[in-house]
Short mmCIF file of all heavy atoms in Angstrom, two decimals:
data_model
loop_
_atom_site.label_atom_id
_atom_site.label_comp_id
_atom_site.label_asym_id
_atom_site.label_seq_id
_atom_site.Cartn_x
_atom_site.Cartn_y
_atom_site.Cartn_z
N GLY A 112 124.98 44.94 -140.90
CA GLY A 112 125.99 44.63 -141.91
C GLY A 112 126.02 45.74 -142.94
O GLY A 112 125.80 46.90 -142.63
N ARG A 113 126.25 45.34 -144.17
CA ARG A 113 126.24 46.32 -145.26
C ARG A 113 124.80 46.66 -145.64
O ARG A 113 123.90 45.83 -145.51
CB ARG A 113 126.92 45.75 -146.50
CG ARG A 113 128.37 45.42 -146.33
CD ARG A 113 128.91 44.76 -147.58
NE ARG A 113 128.15 43.52 -147.87
CZ ARG A 113 128.36 42.74 -148.93
NH1 ARG A 113 129.29 43.06 -149.81
NH2 ARG A 113 127.66 41.65 -149.11
N LEU A 114 124.63 47.86 -146.12
CA LEU A 114 123.38 48.24 -146.77
C LEU A 114 123.63 48.03 -148.26
O LEU A 114 124.55 48.62 -148.83
CB LEU A 114 123.01 49.68 -146.48
CG LEU A 114 121.71 50.17 -147.12
CD1 LEU A 114 120.51 49.39 -146.58
CD2 LEU A 114 121.53 51.66 -146.88
N VAL A 115 122.84 47.17 -148.89
CA VAL A 115 123.01 46.83 -150.29
C VAL A 115 121.84 47.41 -151.07
O VAL A 115 120.68 47.07 -150.81
CB VAL A 115 123.08 45.30 -150.50
CG1 VAL A 115 123.27 44.97 -151.98
CG2 VAL A 115 124.20 44.70 -149.66
N LEU A 116 122.15 48.30 -152.00
CA LEU A 116 121.15 48.88 -152.90
C LEU A 116 121.29 48.18 -154.24
O LEU A 116 122.36 48.21 -154.84
CB LEU A 116 121.34 50.38 -153.04
CG LEU A 116 121.27 51.20 -151.76
CD1 LEU A 116 121.51 52.68 -152.06
CD2 LEU A 116 119.94 51.02 -151.07
N LEU A 117 120.22 47.56 -154.71
CA LEU A 117 120.27 46.72 -155.89
C LEU A 117 119.46 47.27 -157.05
O LEU A 117 118.28 47.59 -156.89
CB LEU A 117 119.75 45.32 -155.55
CG LEU A 117 119.57 44.36 -156.72
CD1 LEU A 117 120.93 43.97 -157.32
CD2 LEU A 117 118.81 43.13 -156.28
N ILE A 118 120.10 47.35 -158.20
CA ILE A 118 119.42 47.64 -159.47
C ILE A 118 119.42 46.34 -160.25
O ILE A 118 120.49 45.78 -160.54
CB ILE A 118 120.15 48.75 -160.26
CG1 ILE A 118 120.12 50.05 -159.48
CG2 ILE A 118 119.51 48.91 -161.64
CD1 ILE A 118 120.93 51.16 -160.10
N GLY A 119 118.24 45.85 -160.58
CA GLY A 119 118.11 44.58 -161.28
C GLY A 119 118.40 44.70 -162.76
O GLY A 119 118.73 45.77 -163.27
N GLY A 120 118.25 43.59 -163.44
CA GLY A 120 118.46 43.54 -164.87
C GLY A 120 117.21 43.95 -165.63
O GLY A 120 116.18 44.27 -165.04
N PRO A 121 117.28 43.92 -166.95
CA PRO A 121 116.16 44.37 -167.77
C PRO A 121 114.90 43.51 -167.63
O PRO A 121 113.80 43.98 -167.94
CB PRO A 121 116.70 44.30 -169.20
CG PRO A 121 117.88 43.41 -169.14
CD PRO A 121 118.42 43.52 -167.75
N TRP A 122 115.04 42.29 -167.12
CA TRP A 122 113.88 41.41 -166.97
C TRP A 122 113.28 41.50 -165.58
O TRP A 122 112.30 40.83 -165.29
CB TRP A 122 114.26 39.97 -167.30
CG TRP A 122 114.77 39.86 -168.70
CD1 TRP A 122 116.06 39.64 -169.09
CD2 TRP A 122 114.01 40.01 -169.90
NE1 TRP A 122 116.15 39.64 -170.45
CE2 TRP A 122 114.90 39.85 -170.98
CE3 TRP A 122 112.67 40.25 -170.18
CZ2 TRP A 122 114.49 39.93 -172.30
CZ3 TRP A 122 112.27 40.33 -171.51
CH2 TRP A 122 113.16 40.17 -172.54
N GLY A 123 113.87 42.28 -164.72
CA GLY A 123 113.33 42.42 -163.38
C GLY A 123 114.12 41.65 -162.34
O GLY A 123 115.23 41.18 -162.60
N ILE A 124 113.53 41.54 -161.17
CA ILE A 124 114.16 40.90 -160.01
C ILE A 124 113.39 39.63 -159.69
O ILE A 124 112.16 39.64 -159.68
CB ILE A 124 114.10 41.84 -158.78
CG1 ILE A 124 114.75 43.18 -159.08
CG2 ILE A 124 114.70 41.19 -157.56
CD1 ILE A 124 116.24 43.19 -159.08
#
Side-chain angles (χ1 to χ4, degrees):
R113 298 175 301 178
L114 180 63
V115 180
L116 301 179
L117 173 67
I118 297 174
W122 301 108
I124 304 283

